[in-house]
């Protein structure tokens, strides 16, 4: 089992930056990949970015590429999402996810991930 706790959400203005954190606990030594997803009101949850725990290789959705960066701190068992140049359309609940399975890093399907955090709200005002 892996437990995930997100933090760092908040209310910001368009163009601002924000960094989300996701602290993992439990069976973290077996973590293969972690990812960020987001869900805007009335929309389906969508993939944002993923990182392979052992290598640090990353993959991001085209909608955030160049603005968002996913990274991890192995010693702290924490994954981050640095969000720059935020737009009102980035407003959503952001969820951290983890998998112990050897999935493809480009897999954007929710079912690829087995463990989820409770989510943190990000609101970007125009």
């Amino acid at each position: 089992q892996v437990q995930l706790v997100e933090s760092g959400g908040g209310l910001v203005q368009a163009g601002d930056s924000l960094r989300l954190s996701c602290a993992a606990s439990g069976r973290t030594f077996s973590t293969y990949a972690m990812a960020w997803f987001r869900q805007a009101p009335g929309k389906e949850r969508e993939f944002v970015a993923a990182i392979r725990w052992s290598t640090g290789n990353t993959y991001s959705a085209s909608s955030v590429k160049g603005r968002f960066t996913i990274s991890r701190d192995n010693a702290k068992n924490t994954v981050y999402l640095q969000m720059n140049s935020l737009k009102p359309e980035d407003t959503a609940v952001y969820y951290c996810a983890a998998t112990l399975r050897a999935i493809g890093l480009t897999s954007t399907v929710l079912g690829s991930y087995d463990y989820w955090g409770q989510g943190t709200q990000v609101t970007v005002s125009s």
Side-chain angles (χ1 to χ4, degrees), residues 83-111:
M83 304 185 293
N84 298 328
S85 302
L86 282 161
K87 305 175 181 180
E89 51 264 44
D90 294 319
T91 295
V93 177
Y94 283 71
Y95 296 91
C96 177
T99 182
L100 308 183
R101 295 175 285 147
I103 64 168
L105 198 60
T106 57
S107 175
T108 62
V109 179
L110 273 67

Side-chain angles (χ1 to χ4, degrees), residues 66-83:
R67 298 190 299 125
F68 292 9
T69 302
I70 188 171
S71 62
R72 92 279 194 237
D73 185 327
N74 296 62
K76 296 182 178 180
N77 290 323
T78 299
V79 65
Y80 303 98
L81 185 67
Q82 177 66 43
M83 304 185 293

Side-chain angles (χ1 to χ4, degrees), residues 21-66:
S21 300
C22 174
S25 61
R27 197 181 169 186
T28 57
F29 59 90
S30 296
T31 300
Y32 184 83
M34 294 185 70
W36 288 96
F37 287 74
R38 66 185 181 184
Q39 188 166 18
K43 295 187 177 181
E44 294 185 350
R45 194 171 299 188
E46 65 175 4
F47 172 84
V48 176
I51 187 165
R52 185 172 171 182
W53 200 253
S54 61
T55 63
N57 290 348
T58 64
Y59 176 73
S60 299
S62 57
S63 59
V64 304
K65 196 165 293 185

